[in-house]
Amino acid sequence: MIRIVIVGFGNVAYHLISAFAKSDAVTVIQVYARNKANLNHLQDHYDVTNEIDKLVDADLYIITVSDNAITEVSLQLNFKSKLVVHTSGTVSMNDLNSNNRRGVFYPLQTFSKLKEVNFSTVPICIEAENTKDHKLLEAIAKSISNQVFEINSTQRKAVHVSAVFVCNFVNHLYKIGNDICNENNIPFDILNPLITETAHKVLTLSPIEAQTGPAIRNDSTTINEHLNFLTNQNQKEIYKILTKSIIDHGKKL
Amino acid sequence: MIRIVIVGFGNVAYHLISAFAKSDAVTVIQVYARNKANLNHLQDHYDVTNEIDKLVDADLYIITVSDNAITEVSLQLNFKSKLVVHTSGTVSMNDLNSNNRRGVFYPLQTFSKLKEVNFSTVPICIEAENTKDHKLLEAIAKSISNQVFEINSTQRKAVHVSAVFVCNFVNHLYKIGNDICNENNIPFDILNPLITETAHKVLTLSPIEAQTGPAIRNDSTTINEHLNFLTNQNQKEIYKILTKSIIDHGKKL
């Protein structure tokens, strides 16, 4: 069994630990969190600690703390020449302390503690400094997911920026749709089939082929009616900039 | 059988005709289009015409032309006191010529000719001037869909504006994600699981509960790295305005 220590306990760690629990190839032997109280429910099954200098010997240390703490935490590790990876979409592999062998294990998915995730379909982007470590990360990734990609630090940043557009920003547009429905006494779930179909369409059509609506038709009457309908300045601004972007860039060249 | 004439032949008409073909309660007896050549493939199964003054007697006329032509087409109908509806999310019921009994039959979905739609899950928003017509529209809608809503013209406009946010704008964000992937030699389908999960999450969580990413964490380091990474001014502007909106309005009050 490949022995793993998880460092940090946020949404990514929570879902990774669940996924590893189902894997036959790896075992989580310790979990570290600054605030041990967050880990009370894990104490029956895992060795948990809030002391960074008491991490046990392992084949892999996965740092899952927030992006701006990754370098600092990697500098606090009091061992060297071991394999240490982070799970961030943005942070470069080289931002890890070079005392240890470095790598990245980035699961490309949106994680909320309230929603279970089927890890077998989650793309895992891996990167390592040498072939042997790359193979180890690949074996670990394949033990929990069917989609494993070799992605370097520059590409990973591109993947992460794209993910912000297709996930975080998309979800915020759902939030605006929800607000407009609430203000007009319409159940938000009237939009569910549309939300689902919009996502499913781009599995088979390109986004350019899938584009519909007043902007792509350059239907200024409807666009102006919508802008008159919206009273919230923030919603109006977002409507304007995205409509202009569709008109200018939404079609095939 | 309830007899229906379809006036106009765009994406909505195409999918409505397919749905009605499977209904036991209704039959499409005629299809009108200005350009009859578009209807060549329908001629074996339907009476098709390009003469608006030769529409046959029917229980319901569904005007499916573009929004800005609905009133004009309704004025061209050379009969009166019949039930005439349009399929628009934006146009008011009262924009139809009052010579006929008026109504609305608005299927809330994104229709592309290249992608089949399961109409049984498409919400249909209906509106009519009197109870009898309302019941007829309800029966027709229920013969093709399990989700039928009574929605007045003001609410319908709100539904349509919401739909633009959660569908048309969302699809354009997919397009931007696609562009960024292409520029960095990353297959767009690496984002498929994320796109699907983001849509599925809001079926069970509110968009506020589902929000993840650097903006909701107010992670200015990552946000600035992303802005530095983006070279396309349009993408940068959209990134900025949506990030600001999430920071200002993405959380629970």
Side-chain angles (χ1 to χ4, degrees):
Chain A
M1 293 284 264
I2 301 163
R3 298 160 307 147
I4 296 175
V5 170
I6 304 283
V7 180
F9 191 70
N11 284 339
V12 172
Y14 173 87
H15 288 285
L16 268 182
I17 290 169
S18 297
F20 287 139
K22 294 171 199 142
S23 162
D24 296 331
V26 305
T27 177
V28 171
I29 55 171
Q30 191 180 38
V31 181
Y32 160 85
R34 239 182 339 190
N35 186 351
K36 209 172 162 181
N38 292 344
L39 303 183
N40 277 344
H41 62 293
L42 286 181
Q43 306 228 5
D44 291 345
H45 305 286
Y46 298 95
D47 169 19
V48 301
T49 179
N50 59 356
E51 295 174 83
I52 193 82
D53 54 356
K54 299 231 171 123
L55 300 189
V56 297
D57 183 53
D59 302 303
L60 172 66
Y61 298 80
I62 305 184
I63 298 179
T64 67
V65 302
S66 59
D67 287 4
N68 52 14
I70 289 172
T71 300
E72 188 194 331
V73 167
S74 81
L75 288 165
Q76 290 170 0
L77 301 178
N78 64 355
F79 46 76
K80 57 184 182 175
S81 303
K82 299 202 174 182
L83 181 56
V84 176
V85 302
H86 68 66
T87 57
S88 163
T90 314
V91 175
S92 168
M93 180 170 74
N94 295 332
D95 287 344
L96 291 166
N97 181 2
S98 60
N99 274 358
N100 284 297
R101 286 141 46 214
R102 300 176 291 190
V104 179
F105 192 92
Y106 168 49
L108 175 57
Q109 191 49 283
T110 167
F111 297 107
S112 300
K113 281 202 178 135
L114 294 165
K115 172 83 167 61
E116 285 307 308
V117 164
N118 173 8
F119 234 95
S120 66
T121 63
V122 174
I124 299 180
C125 303
I126 56 173
E127 186 179 1
E129 289 184 293
N130 67 61
T131 311
K132 196 178 156 204
D133 289 339
H134 189 278
K135 285 200 171 149
L136 182 68
L137 293 181
E138 194 175 22
I140 294 169
K142 284 188 172 169
S143 84
I144 56 172
S145 168
N146 301 319
Q147 296 204 56
V148 181
F149 294 84
E150 185 176 349
I151 295 280
N152 67 35
S153 285
T154 309
Q155 286 177 311
R156 185 159 34 80
K157 198 168 281 184
V159 169
H160 192 235
V161 174
S162 302
V164 168
F165 278 93
V166 307
C167 167
N168 307 151
F169 291 166
V170 160
N171 184 74
H172 188 60
L173 296 182
Y174 297 157
K175 193 260 178 189
I176 292 175
N178 195 355
D179 289 348
I180 297 170
C181 283
N182 284 348
E183 286 156 19
N184 292 277
N185 298 315
I186 298 157
F188 178 58
D189 58 13
I190 198 175
L191 297 175
N192 281 348
L194 182 62
I195 286 172
T196 307
E197 173 70 7
T198 303
H200 286 181
K201 263 171 103 170
V202 293
L203 303 183
T204 52
L205 299 181
S206 75
I208 279 184
E209 291 170 318
Q211 188 68 55
T212 56
I216 197 71
R217 297 194 306 269
N218 213 338
D219 173 355
S220 55
T221 311
T222 301
I223 292 166
N224 288 330
E225 281 207 42
H226 286 178
L227 287 171
N228 286 335
F229 180 87
L230 292 168
T231 51
N232 177 306
Q233 279 310 313
N234 181 52
Q235 292 169 0
K236 250 186 159 74
E237 285 310 311
I238 291 171
Y239 190 102
K240 276 185 202 166
I241 195 171
L242 288 173
T243 292
K244 183 172 184 317
S245 183
I246 292 172
I247 292 171
D248 292 346
H249 310 286
K251 295 194 184 180
K252 276 181 193 156
L253 294 179
Chain B
M1 294 284 263
I2 302 164
R3 297 160 308 150
I4 297 177
V5 170
I6 304 283
V7 180
F9 191 71
N11 283 341
V12 173
Y14 173 88
H15 288 286
L16 267 182
I17 290 169
S18 297
F20 287 140
K22 294 171 200 142
S23 161
D24 296 331
V26 306
T27 177
V28 172
I29 56 171
Q30 191 180 38
V31 181
Y32 160 85
R34 243 185 331 192
N35 185 351
K36 210 172 161 180
N38 292 344
L39 304 182
N40 277 345
H41 62 293
L42 286 180
Q43 304 229 4
D44 291 345
H45 304 287
Y46 299 94
D47 169 19
V48 301
T49 179
N50 60 356
E51 295 173 81
I52 192 84
D53 53 357
K54 298 232 171 122
L55 301 188
V56 298
D57 183 54
D59 302 304
L60 172 65
Y61 298 80
I62 305 184
I63 298 178
T64 67
V65 300
S66 59
D67 287 6
N68 52 14
I70 289 172
T71 299
E72 188 195 329
V73 167
S74 81
L75 288 165
Q76 288 170 2
L77 302 177
N78 64 353
F79 46 76
K80 58 183 184 176
S81 304
K82 300 201 174 181
L83 181 56
V84 175
V85 302
H86 69 66
T87 56
S88 164
T90 314
V91 175
S92 167
M93 179 170 73
N94 295 332
D95 288 344
L96 292 165
N97 180 4
S98 61
N99 272 359
N100 284 296
R101 287 142 45 212
R102 301 176 290 190
V104 178
F105 192 92
Y106 169 50
L108 175 56
Q109 192 48 282
T110 167
F111 297 108
S112 301
K113 280 200 178 136
L114 294 165
K115 172 84 167 61
E116 286 307 308
V117 165
N118 174 8
F119 233 95
S120 65
T121 62
V122 174
I124 299 179
C125 304
I126 56 173
E127 185 180 2
E129 289 184 294
N130 66 60
T131 311
K132 198 178 154 203
D133 289 339
H134 189 278
K135 285 198 171 151
L136 183 68
L137 293 180
E138 193 175 23
I140 295 168
K142 285 188 171 168
S143 84
I144 55 173
S145 168
N146 301 319
Q147 296 205 57
V148 181
F149 294 83
E150 186 177 348
I151 295 280
N152 67 34
S153 285
T154 309
Q155 286 178 310
R156 183 159 34 80
K157 197 167 284 184
V159 169
H160 192 234
V161 175
S162 303
V164 168
F165 278 93
V166 306
C167 167
N168 307 150
F169 291 167
V170 160
N171 184 73
H172 187 61
L173 296 182
Y174 297 157
K175 193 258 175 191
I176 292 174
N178 194 357
D179 288 348
I180 296 170
C181 283
N182 284 349
E183 286 156 19
N184 292 277
N185 298 317
I186 299 156
F188 177 58
D189 56 14
I190 198 175
L191 297 175
N192 281 349
L194 182 62
I195 287 172
T196 306
E197 174 69 6
T198 304
H200 286 182
K201 263 171 104 169
V202 292
L203 304 182
T204 51
L205 300 181
S206 75
I208 280 184
E209 290 170 319
Q211 188 68 56
T212 56
I216 197 71
R217 297 194 306 269
N218 213 338
D219 172 355
S220 55
T221 311
T222 302
I223 291 166
N224 288 331
E225 281 208 42
H226 286 178
L227 287 171
N228 286 336
F229 180 87
L230 292 169
T231 51
N232 178 305
Q233 279 310 313
N234 181 53
Q235 292 169 0
K236 250 185 159 75
E237 285 310 308
I238 292 171
Y239 190 101
K240 278 185 199 165
I241 195 171
L242 289 172
T243 293
K244 183 173 185 316
S245 183
I246 292 172
I247 292 170
D248 293 346
H249 309 287
K251 294 195 182 177
K252 275 180 193 154
L253 294 179

